[in-house]
Amino acid sequence: MTERWTVRVDKRLCVRTGLCVASAPADFELDESGQGRARAERTAESDVVLEVAESCPIEAISITDADTGHRVFPPET
Ligand code: SF4
């Protein structure tokens, strides 16, 4: 599968719950300050990654389509 998503954690928002890492340790890790971050900025489309982004309590995780630049999550309003 092609790596079509760009996954980022907004460090201005992340409040270090660790939920993303606990839910998907293959996709997320903690940085040296205890904030979540994607293990790889580019990833294949993934229901798990989308569910983690949806479950982040302050929507610090964003997903964009790497090819088109369209936002996958949070959805554009
Ligand atoms: S779930 Fe959200 S707030 Fe919690 S560590 Fe991950 S990015 Fe930060």
Side-chain angles (χ1 to χ4, degrees):
M1 188 181 285
T2 57
E3 297 182 346
R4 290 198 52 213
W5 281 359
T6 300
V7 181
R8 292 197 179 95
V9 173
D10 188 335
K11 294 191 176 299
R12 298 167 302 174
L13 298 177
C14 174
V15 292
R16 302 178 173 86
T17 65
L19 279 172
C20 52
V21 180
S23 301
D27 298 297
F28 293 90
E29 62 186 358
L30 296 179
D31 68 12
E32 48 288 334
S33 72
Q35 291 187 301
R37 72 180 169 202
R39 287 188 180 273
E41 190 177 58
R42 286 274 197 120
T43 187
E45 291 183 31
S46 162
D47 289 342
V48 171
V49 171
L50 179 58
E51 286 171 15
V52 168
E54 290 172 340
S55 64
C56 173
I58 35 75
E59 291 192 354
I61 301 169
S62 64
I63 303 169
T64 55
D65 186 306
D67 295 330
T68 67
H70 289 149
R71 195 156 36 143
V72 176
F73 187 86
E76 299 190 50
T77 53

